[in-house]
Amino acid sequence: MAASKTQPTAATVDGFLDSVEPPERRADARAIAAMLARVSGEPATMWGPAIVGFGRYRYRYDSGREGEMCRVGFSPRKAAFTFYLTTGFAMRQDLLDRLGKHSSGKGCLYVKALADIDQGVLEELVRASLADMAARHPD
């Protein structure tokens, strides 16, 4: 089966974050990147043209599709910041209930602005997602 089209690139994270508009959104993106680097202990890497990712893991679905992706990441999309986190851990719903204004989909969390959420809860959510990822996909 085909691998994921989202791959690490040589593009610089700083260059990408410099392009985020408006300036308030850029400041939020830089704060998110700093928090994810601190919590993950991994350097930021561009995955595709618009995902800032931290760490990496290999996956294989029952269908045979396989690939590699960041363990945690985000993208400062125009409509909302998109966070790429795992979904199967026990505390997820409790943390989402305490997070603040957000929406979520399969594997993604959407936040319009950092001011809309409790950033401490976001950090807890990232830590729990990384722990779940480590259990499911050990190095």
Side-chain angles (χ1 to χ4, degrees):
M1 284 282 168
S4 171
K5 294 179 182 177
T6 304
Q7 299 292 321
T9 71
T12 69
V13 171
D14 284 338
F16 173 69
L17 294 177
D18 284 347
S19 71
V20 174
E21 292 293 336
E24 298 81 14
R25 190 162 196 72
R26 184 180 318 122
D28 277 0
R30 288 195 180 287
I32 292 166
M35 182 272 291
L36 291 176
R38 180 176 47 78
V39 171
S40 72
E42 299 283 348
T45 301
M46 290 302 303
W47 287 77
I51 297 174
V52 180
F54 301 81
R56 61 178 61 201
Y57 74 101
R58 291 213 47 85
Y59 62 85
R60 180 179 172 88
Y61 295 123
D62 291 339
S63 67
R65 181 173 179 237
E66 60 184 79
E68 186 175 59
M69 188 59 183
C70 55
R71 287 187 174 267
V72 65
F74 82 102
S75 184
R77 308 224 186 258
K78 285 189 182 206
F81 289 101
T82 302
F83 292 87
Y84 301 94
L85 306 168
T86 61
T87 59
F89 55 93
M91 295 174 31
R92 184 174 192 267
Q93 191 57 54
D94 175 59
L95 291 168
L96 290 176
D97 290 346
R98 296 184 310 144
L99 181 62
K101 189 175 176 182
H102 74 280
S103 61
S104 59
K106 187 176 180 181
C108 293
L109 169 69
Y110 306 98
V111 173
K112 290 192 183 283
L114 284 182
D116 293 342
I117 61 168
D118 182 322
Q119 292 178 46
V121 173
L122 176 61
E123 186 171 318
E124 285 183 67
L125 193 59
V126 170
R127 286 183 192 284
S129 178
L130 285 167
D132 181 61
M133 178 66 70
R136 290 180 194 215
H137 301 279
D139 290 304

